[in-house]
Amino acid sequence: MTSASELRSGKGDRDENFPVASWIIHPRHRALILAYYNFVRTADDIADHATLSPDQKLSFLDLLEAELLGKGDTQPEAVSLRRALAERGMTPRHALDVLIAFRMDVTKLRYETWDEVIHYCRYSAMPVGRFMLDVHGESTSTWAASDALCAGLQINNHLQDCGKDYRELNRVYLPRDALAAHGASVEQLGLAQSPPAMLACLQSLAARNAALLDEGRSLAAEIRDFRLGLDVSVIQAYADRIVRLLKVRDPLRERVHLNKFELLAFSLAGIIGEVGRRAIGRKAISRPGTAHDA
């Protein structure tokens, strides 16, 4: 039986907004987190594979799910995650959720509204945050802020890579109604530079995403685990910087990502800010329940 990992799409370096195996995280959690990461990355590679047919992609995703649930041992990423979860007494729910998103990537190439994009993020991004919180034994009351942050990270990535996604995968996450409201068209994503209408659309979506990221700003303070709180603060700092860039730059014309110096600077800023917050005992703003379905 062919292993799904043998079908890697060869995308090389990735533009990651989800540094789930951060060096900040306590070593006791890293094996499980890396098993989850490898499972998700393998499923992502299948969904984005350049030569597999849609039916073949769905079959491989189904195989990963079956073996994650114990029905076979031919897919190492599924087997490794299954065993790692069992050792911790955790369910595979967050891995099963991301498979829903990867199936959507195979079958759904356009999104009509912002709410449709958020629904996609419910399965592509929010499970990653929920998984990390569960690994650290955090309360589900943290999920609302986590969901907002993770969705904001995902939409940052959609905006950063909107041209590449269209050219290479014919996949467009920009809502059609937002494009229409600005007089932009999907085909403009294939250009080397955004026309004024497309640039206005992209920057308006970035502004809307900045507001979404603000909804997740309390997450680090809601988290009890010190290391995870630091990690979230760093991720928030990255996300804030990227969305600021997206509000003023053209992702079709220039790379909208952080360089090594910026990664270091915003890592330090996030860490220092969170250490200071915890040192003076500033509490999180209370949040009544979760904003998204559990």
Side-chain angles (χ1 to χ4, degrees):
M1 173 65 68
T2 301
S3 167
S5 59
E6 295 173 24
L7 300 171
R8 288 293 174 94
S9 59
K11 287 182 281 188
D13 289 340
R14 298 172 181 278
D15 301 321
E16 295 295 350
N17 284 337
F18 296 102
V20 295
S22 167
W23 56 270
I24 299 173
I25 295 299
H26 196 285
R28 71 175 178 271
H29 298 308
R30 288 179 189 159
L32 174 55
I33 292 168
L34 284 171
Y36 182 83
Y37 176 87
N38 288 333
F39 179 88
V40 171
R41 286 271 61 104
T42 297
D44 187 23
D45 283 339
I46 292 168
D48 290 354
H49 199 278
T51 60
L52 290 178
S53 71
D55 285 345
Q56 289 173 314
K57 292 178 180 181
L58 293 174
S59 293
F60 272 109
L61 293 172
D62 289 345
L63 179 60
L64 281 179
E65 177 173 314
E67 298 207 358
L68 178 63
L69 296 174
K71 302 171 186 175
D73 296 297
T74 66
Q75 307 301 308
E77 292 80 8
V79 174
S80 294
L81 178 57
R82 184 179 80 213
R83 291 172 178 168
L85 289 169
E87 288 175 4
R88 295 285 288 268
M90 293 177 62
T91 73
R93 62 180 301 187
H94 304 307
L96 295 174
D97 277 352
V98 294
L99 289 179
I100 294 172
F102 294 129
R103 291 186 179 102
M104 291 174 67
D105 280 337
V106 175
T107 61
K108 184 177 176 65
L109 300 178
R110 300 291 186 270
Y111 290 80
E112 299 298 326
T113 65
W114 177 267
D115 286 345
E116 280 194 12
V117 175
I118 295 297
H119 176 73
Y120 172 79
C121 293
R122 163 62 184 88
Y123 295 100
S124 69
M126 296 178 194
V128 178
R130 295 179 181 192
F131 169 77
M132 291 292 287
L133 292 165
D134 281 1
V135 167
H136 287 80
E138 299 290 337
S139 168
T140 56
S141 66
T142 59
W143 281 13
S146 174
D147 287 352
L149 174 58
C150 289
L153 290 165
Q154 180 72 84
I155 293 169
N156 267 357
N157 189 251
H158 288 167
L159 295 173
Q160 288 170 297
D161 294 341
C162 59
K164 182 174 70 173
D165 286 341
Y166 174 70
R167 292 189 305 271
E168 297 181 4
L169 301 167
N170 189 29
R171 195 180 293 156
V172 179
Y173 297 102
L174 309 184
R176 284 195 214 252
D177 62 355
L179 291 166
H182 290 87
S185 69
V186 166
E187 292 73 22
Q188 291 172 345
L189 291 170
L191 301 175
Q193 180 173 333
S194 293
M198 176 59 74
L199 187 59
C201 177
L202 291 169
Q203 293 180 352
S204 72
L205 289 170
R208 187 167 188 176
N209 199 42
L212 180 61
L213 287 168
D214 282 341
E215 293 179 26
R217 197 165 301 283
S218 66
L219 178 59
E222 294 177 22
I223 288 171
R224 294 169 303 185
D225 185 272
F226 176 66
R227 285 175 177 251
L228 183 60
L230 291 183
D231 198 46
V232 167
S233 292
V234 169
I235 292 169
Q236 183 84 51
Y238 292 168
D240 290 343
R241 175 57 177 166
I242 289 168
V243 83
R244 286 197 296 271
L245 294 175
L246 286 166
K247 287 194 286 186
V248 297
R249 291 188 183 176
D250 177 6
L252 297 188
R253 186 173 60 85
E254 53 193 323
R255 181 177 169 85
V256 186
H257 294 83
L258 303 185
N259 59 39
K260 290 181 180 180
F261 173 78
E262 289 173 313
L263 288 170
L264 176 60
F266 287 103
S267 294
L268 291 174
I271 290 170
I272 291 168
E274 182 60 13
V275 169
R277 185 200 66 76
R278 289 181 183 249
I280 64 175
R282 197 166 73 242
K283 302 296 184 182
I285 299 171
S286 64
R287 303 176 66 89
T290 59
H292 303 277
D293 61 295

